[in-house]
Amino acid sequence: MHARLWLWENPASFPELRPRRLRGHPVLRDLVAEARFHVEKLVQPVFIREELSRPRPLGSLPGLSAYGPESPELVEYIASAMDDGVKTFLVFGTPQRKTRLGDPAYDVNGVVQRSLRYVRRELGEEPLLVTDLCLCGYTDHGHCGVPRQHPQRGIVIDNDETLGLYTRIAVAQAEAGSDVIAPSGMMDGQVGAIRRALDDSGFSDVAIMSYSVKYASAFYGPFREAVDSSPRFGDRSTYQMDPRNRGEALKEALLDIGEGADILMVKPALAYLDVIYLLKESLPHYPLAAYSVSGEYLMVEALAEKGMADRIRLHMEVLTSIARAGADLIITYWAREAARVVKENGG
Ligand code: PBG
């Protein structure tokens, strides 16, 4: 530390240090390169829509499609992504009918449960299936929990009533074959409630990847369009984190660890690299995921579409930056493409 500070203050005392010396040869650059992302640590989101029998391109997420719950194309997509090296999938579902309490989320024949059973039947245990656990895609009001009339504040989202529904979703997903449950609703105590419910139902081997540090972000727009989950009234700032807060991220992460989270997550990624760095520095031995969200993906795609940047280089730079900040796993809409690029360049 001392030497580093001294060098910082006296750069002229080291005239022999020429940083460019290490940049002159491509192999030398690889030799001294510090951060990289790993294909086996990328997670590919997958969208299932109950009403579809054929895949349908997602207008808001170029290059991606939504699949029918029991469609052969879904299985082909997962199998071919696995061939390219991506083996972990984060499954989102959109039901045909939305209700106040989002019951298709915990129905045995709900859209996600049906597709999990189908994929398991066709592909066995090889793909790692992670399921997003939330209500916003299933409720007719688009909120992540149960609405309730508050005497002064109008309609609020009831924390503890919502937890009861989350535990039912967790058990339904585990019964259908989920390997990892990923609660994303930002209710207090959700990890602990889900852990207990899973254990009580005989699923103590099902892991929890918690969206521990999830901000009330404007970067979720293309995702909400893809799954029709925009709130019909108000916004999510009474349950998702305020983008101004960083110290609070540590509090959320520590609470989740205490409640039994196996993997922590920061979301979004690119505008919150400082938070990723903080969590990795503070909790270095805990697996940390970062979710590079839909708006980040679309920003890159739009820049490339305008011809102002190389699409592949830009996506690679984003993923590398997230890994450099300290994320171990990265959830990205570009996972499968990244795997292809890495494969074509010989790993
Ligand atoms: C569900 C959920 C959201 C995302 C993942 N899970 C949306 C939200 O909080 O509104 C966003 C993902 C993305 O933008 O890529 N709560």
Side-chain angles (χ1 to χ4, degrees), residues 177-198:
S178 176
D179 295 299
V180 182
I181 307 278
S184 68
M186 289 299 280
M187 295 300 131
D188 290 340
Q190 60 182 13
V191 171
I194 289 168
R195 184 70 272 158
R196 277 190 298 278
L198 288 172

PDB file of all heavy atoms in Angstrom, residues 177-198:
ATOM      1  N   GLY A 177     -39.396 -28.747 -11.027  1.00  0.00           N
ATOM      2  CA  GLY A 177     -38.032 -29.068 -11.466  1.00  0.00           C
ATOM      3  C   GLY A 177     -37.038 -27.922 -11.463  1.00  0.00           C
ATOM      4  O   GLY A 177     -35.951 -28.042 -12.035  1.00  0.00           O
ATOM      5  N   SER A 178     -37.376 -26.803 -10.812  1.00  0.00           N
ATOM      6  CA  SER A 178     -36.419 -25.700 -10.752  1.00  0.00           C
ATOM      7  C   SER A 178     -35.208 -26.074  -9.885  1.00  0.00           C
ATOM      8  O   SER A 178     -35.357 -26.700  -8.836  1.00  0.00           O
ATOM      9  CB  SER A 178     -37.103 -24.460 -10.161  1.00  0.00           C
ATOM     10  OG  SER A 178     -36.177 -23.411 -10.011  1.00  0.00           O
ATOM     11  N   ASP A 179     -34.016 -25.709 -10.333  1.00  0.00           N
ATOM     12  CA  ASP A 179     -32.806 -25.959  -9.547  1.00  0.00           C
ATOM     13  C   ASP A 179     -32.507 -24.810  -8.594  1.00  0.00           C
ATOM     14  O   ASP A 179     -31.946 -24.999  -7.518  1.00  0.00           O
ATOM     15  CB  ASP A 179     -31.588 -26.089 -10.473  1.00  0.00           C
ATOM     16  CG  ASP A 179     -31.679 -27.293 -11.389  1.00  0.00           C
ATOM     17  OD1 ASP A 179     -31.740 -28.415 -10.867  1.00  0.00           O
ATOM     18  OD2 ASP A 179     -31.697 -27.099 -12.620  1.00  0.00           O
ATOM     19  N   VAL A 180     -32.813 -23.605  -9.049  1.00  0.00           N
ATOM     20  CA  VAL A 180     -32.478 -22.395  -8.291  1.00  0.00           C
ATOM     21  C   VAL A 180     -33.664 -21.447  -8.370  1.00  0.00           C
ATOM     22  O   VAL A 180     -34.161 -21.145  -9.456  1.00  0.00           O
ATOM     23  CB  VAL A 180     -31.225 -21.689  -8.881  1.00  0.00           C
ATOM     24  CG1 VAL A 180     -30.869 -20.458  -8.062  1.00  0.00           C
ATOM     25  CG2 VAL A 180     -30.039 -22.633  -8.973  1.00  0.00           C
ATOM     26  N   ILE A 181     -34.107 -20.979  -7.204  1.00  0.00           N
ATOM     27  CA  ILE A 181     -35.214 -20.026  -7.162  1.00  0.00           C
ATOM     28  C   ILE A 181     -34.618 -18.626  -7.017  1.00  0.00           C
ATOM     29  O   ILE A 181     -33.759 -18.396  -6.164  1.00  0.00           O
ATOM     30  CB  ILE A 181     -36.124 -20.315  -5.943  1.00  0.00           C
ATOM     31  CG1 ILE A 181     -36.572 -21.785  -5.916  1.00  0.00           C
ATOM     32  CG2 ILE A 181     -37.292 -19.352  -5.896  1.00  0.00           C
ATOM     33  CD1 ILE A 181     -37.721 -22.171  -6.756  1.00  0.00           C
ATOM     34  N   ALA A 182     -35.104 -17.703  -7.845  1.00  0.00           N
ATOM     35  CA  ALA A 182     -34.548 -16.348  -7.838  1.00  0.00           C
ATOM     36  C   ALA A 182     -35.635 -15.323  -7.534  1.00  0.00           C
ATOM     37  O   ALA A 182     -36.302 -14.811  -8.438  1.00  0.00           O
ATOM     38  CB  ALA A 182     -33.891 -16.057  -9.189  1.00  0.00           C
ATOM     39  N   PRO A 183     -35.836 -15.031  -6.227  1.00  0.00           N
ATOM     40  CA  PRO A 183     -36.883 -14.072  -5.870  1.00  0.00           C
ATOM     41  C   PRO A 183     -36.489 -12.647  -6.231  1.00  0.00           C
ATOM     42  O   PRO A 183     -35.434 -12.156  -5.831  1.00  0.00           O
ATOM     43  CB  PRO A 183     -37.010 -14.233  -4.346  1.00  0.00           C
ATOM     44  CG  PRO A 183     -35.754 -14.888  -3.892  1.00  0.00           C
ATOM     45  CD  PRO A 183     -35.155 -15.607  -5.055  1.00  0.00           C
ATOM     46  N   SER A 184     -37.357 -11.964  -7.000  1.00  0.00           N
ATOM     47  CA  SER A 184     -36.995 -10.637  -7.506  1.00  0.00           C
ATOM     48  C   SER A 184     -37.940  -9.535  -7.060  1.00  0.00           C
ATOM     49  O   SER A 184     -37.872  -8.426  -7.566  1.00  0.00           O
ATOM     50  CB  SER A 184     -36.931 -10.663  -9.044  1.00  0.00           C
ATOM     51  OG  SER A 184     -38.209 -10.843  -9.596  1.00  0.00           O
ATOM     52  N   GLY A 185     -38.819  -9.834  -6.086  1.00  0.00           N
ATOM     53  CA  GLY A 185     -39.843  -8.850  -5.741  1.00  0.00           C
ATOM     54  C   GLY A 185     -39.458  -7.817  -4.698  1.00  0.00           C
ATOM     55  O   GLY A 185     -40.207  -6.882  -4.448  1.00  0.00           O
ATOM     56  N   MET A 186     -38.291  -7.992  -4.050  1.00  0.00           N
ATOM     57  CA  MET A 186     -37.805  -7.034  -3.050  1.00  0.00           C
ATOM     58  C   MET A 186     -38.756  -6.838  -1.863  1.00  0.00           C
ATOM     59  O   MET A 186     -38.824  -5.753  -1.282  1.00  0.00           O
ATOM     60  CB  MET A 186     -37.474  -5.677  -3.692  1.00  0.00           C
ATOM     61  CG  MET A 186     -36.233  -5.697  -4.560  1.00  0.00           C
ATOM     62  SD  MET A 186     -34.716  -6.153  -3.673  1.00  0.00           S
ATOM     63  CE  MET A 186     -34.270  -4.608  -2.864  1.00  0.00           C
ATOM     64  N   MET A 187     -39.468  -7.911  -1.460  1.00  0.00           N
ATOM     65  CA  MET A 187     -40.211  -7.836  -0.207  1.00  0.00           C
ATOM     66  C   MET A 187     -39.244  -8.159   0.929  1.00  0.00           C
ATOM     67  O   MET A 187     -38.369  -9.024   0.776  1.00  0.00           O
ATOM     68  CB  MET A 187     -41.357  -8.869  -0.189  1.00  0.00           C
ATOM     69  CG  MET A 187     -42.438  -8.632  -1.223  1.00  0.00           C
ATOM     70  SD  MET A 187     -43.281  -7.044  -1.066  1.00  0.00           S
ATOM     71  CE  MET A 187     -43.196  -6.466  -2.757  1.00  0.00           C
ATOM     72  N   ASP A 188     -39.410  -7.489   2.077  1.00  0.00           N
ATOM     73  CA  ASP A 188     -38.563  -7.801   3.225  1.00  0.00           C
ATOM     74  C   ASP A 188     -38.833  -9.234   3.682  1.00  0.00           C
ATOM     75  O   ASP A 188     -39.996  -9.658   3.756  1.00  0.00           O
ATOM     76  CB  ASP A 188     -38.873  -6.848   4.388  1.00  0.00           C
ATOM     77  CG  ASP A 188     -38.402  -5.431   4.096  1.00  0.00           C
ATOM     78  OD1 ASP A 188     -37.523  -5.252   3.221  1.00  0.00           O
ATOM     79  OD2 ASP A 188     -38.931  -4.495   4.737  1.00  0.00           O
ATOM     80  N   GLY A 189     -37.781  -9.964   3.972  1.00  0.00           N
ATOM     81  CA  GLY A 189     -37.938 -11.312   4.513  1.00  0.00           C
ATOM     82  C   GLY A 189     -38.250 -12.376   3.476  1.00  0.00           C
ATOM     83  O   GLY A 189     -38.519 -13.530   3.830  1.00  0.00           O
ATOM     84  N   GLN A 190     -38.183 -12.026   2.195  1.00  0.00           N
ATOM     85  CA  GLN A 190     -38.606 -13.017   1.182  1.00  0.00           C
ATOM     86  C   GLN A 190     -37.682 -14.237   1.133  1.00  0.00           C
ATOM     87  O   GLN A 190     -38.155 -15.369   0.962  1.00  0.00           O
ATOM     88  CB  GLN A 190     -38.729 -12.369  -0.213  1.00  0.00           C
ATOM     89  CG  GLN A 190     -37.456 -11.744  -0.756  1.00  0.00           C
ATOM     90  CD  GLN A 190     -37.646 -11.070  -2.132  1.00  0.00           C
ATOM     91  OE1 GLN A 190     -38.763 -10.852  -2.577  1.00  0.00           O
ATOM     92  NE2 GLN A 190     -36.550 -10.750  -2.801  1.00  0.00           N
ATOM     93  N   VAL A 191     -36.385 -14.015   1.317  1.00  0.00           N
ATOM     94  CA  VAL A 191     -35.471 -15.159   1.227  1.00  0.00           C
ATOM     95  C   VAL A 191     -35.726 -16.144   2.363  1.00  0.00           C
ATOM     96  O   VAL A 191     -35.839 -17.352   2.154  1.00  0.00           O
ATOM     97  CB  VAL A 191     -34.000 -14.682   1.207  1.00  0.00           C
ATOM     98  CG1 VAL A 191     -33.045 -15.867   1.332  1.00  0.00           C
ATOM     99  CG2 VAL A 191     -33.706 -13.907  -0.077  1.00  0.00           C
ATOM    100  N   GLY A 192     -35.878 -15.616   3.582  1.00  0.00           N
ATOM    101  CA  GLY A 192     -36.116 -16.486   4.730  1.00  0.00           C
ATOM    102  C   GLY A 192     -37.419 -17.265   4.588  1.00  0.00           C
ATOM    103  O   GLY A 192     -37.475 -18.474   4.841  1.00  0.00           O
ATOM    104  N   ALA A 193     -38.471 -16.571   4.149  1.00  0.00           N
ATOM    105  CA  ALA A 193     -39.775 -17.239   4.000  1.00  0.00           C
ATOM    106  C   ALA A 193     -39.689 -18.349   2.954  1.00  0.00           C
ATOM    107  O   ALA A 193     -40.204 -19.459   3.156  1.00  0.00           O
ATOM    108  CB  ALA A 193     -40.836 -16.205   3.611  1.00  0.00           C
ATOM    109  N   ILE A 194     -39.020 -18.055   1.849  1.00  0.00           N
ATOM    110  CA  ILE A 194     -38.904 -19.052   0.765  1.00  0.00           C
ATOM    111  C   ILE A 194     -38.035 -20.225   1.206  1.00  0.00           C
ATOM    112  O   ILE A 194     -38.351 -21.389   0.947  1.00  0.00           O
ATOM    113  CB  ILE A 194     -38.357 -18.370  -0.514  1.00  0.00           C
ATOM    114  CG1 ILE A 194     -39.418 -17.447  -1.102  1.00  0.00           C
ATOM    115  CG2 ILE A 194     -37.891 -19.405  -1.532  1.00  0.00           C
ATOM    116  CD1 ILE A 194     -38.903 -16.509  -2.178  1.00  0.00           C
ATOM    117  N   ARG A 195     -36.946 -19.923   1.909  1.00  0.00           N
ATOM    118  CA  ARG A 195     -36.058 -20.999   2.384  1.00  0.00           C
ATOM    119  C   ARG A 195     -36.822 -21.982   3.281  1.00  0.00           C
ATOM    120  O   ARG A 195     -36.732 -23.193   3.128  1.00  0.00           O
ATOM    121  CB  ARG A 195     -34.858 -20.368   3.127  1.00  0.00           C
ATOM    122  CG  ARG A 195     -33.779 -21.315   3.615  1.00  0.00           C
ATOM    123  CD  ARG A 195     -32.942 -21.931   2.475  1.00  0.00           C
ATOM    124  NE  ARG A 195     -33.529 -23.148   1.971  1.00  0.00           N
ATOM    125  CZ  ARG A 195     -33.272 -23.656   0.752  1.00  0.00           C
ATOM    126  NH1 ARG A 195     -32.461 -23.070  -0.086  1.00  0.00           N
ATOM    127  NH2 ARG A 195     -33.849 -24.756   0.352  1.00  0.00           N
ATOM    128  N   ARG A 196     -37.590 -21.415   4.224  1.00  0.00           N
ATOM    129  CA  ARG A 196     -38.354 -22.276   5.136  1.00  0.00           C
ATOM    130  C   ARG A 196     -39.381 -23.106   4.380  1.00  0.00           C
ATOM    131  O   ARG A 196     -39.531 -24.306   4.613  1.00  0.00           O
ATOM    132  CB  ARG A 196     -39.070 -21.422   6.201  1.00  0.00           C
ATOM    133  CG  ARG A 196     -38.170 -21.051   7.379  1.00  0.00           C
ATOM    134  CD  ARG A 196     -38.975 -20.423   8.520  1.00  0.00           C
ATOM    135  NE  ARG A 196     -39.617 -19.167   8.107  1.00  0.00           N
ATOM    136  CZ  ARG A 196     -38.993 -17.992   8.071  1.00  0.00           C
ATOM    137  NH1 ARG A 196     -37.705 -17.899   8.403  1.00  0.00           N
ATOM    138  NH2 ARG A 196     -39.636 -16.892   7.700  1.00  0.00           N
ATOM    139  N   ALA A 197     -40.075 -22.479   3.439  1.00  0.00           N
ATOM    140  CA  ALA A 197     -41.103 -23.210   2.676  1.00  0.00           C
ATOM    141  C   ALA A 197     -40.475 -24.334   1.861  1.00  0.00           C
ATOM    142  O   ALA A 197     -41.009 -25.444   1.809  1.00  0.00           O
ATOM    143  CB  ALA A 197     -41.851 -22.244   1.759  1.00  0.00           C
ATOM    144  N   LEU A 198     -39.338 -24.050   1.252  1.00  0.00           N
ATOM    145  CA  LEU A 198     -38.676 -25.094   0.457  1.00  0.00           C
ATOM    146  C   LEU A 198     -38.238 -26.250   1.353  1.00  0.00           C
ATOM    147  O   LEU A 198     -38.466 -27.418   1.033  1.00  0.00           O
ATOM    148  CB  LEU A 198     -37.452 -24.515  -0.282  1.00  0.00           C
ATOM    149  CG  LEU A 198     -37.744 -23.572  -1.467  1.00  0.00           C
ATOM    150  CD1 LEU A 198     -36.457 -22.926  -1.969  1.00  0.00           C
ATOM    151  CD2 LEU A 198     -38.444 -24.317  -2.613  1.00  0.00           C
TER     152      LEU A 198
END
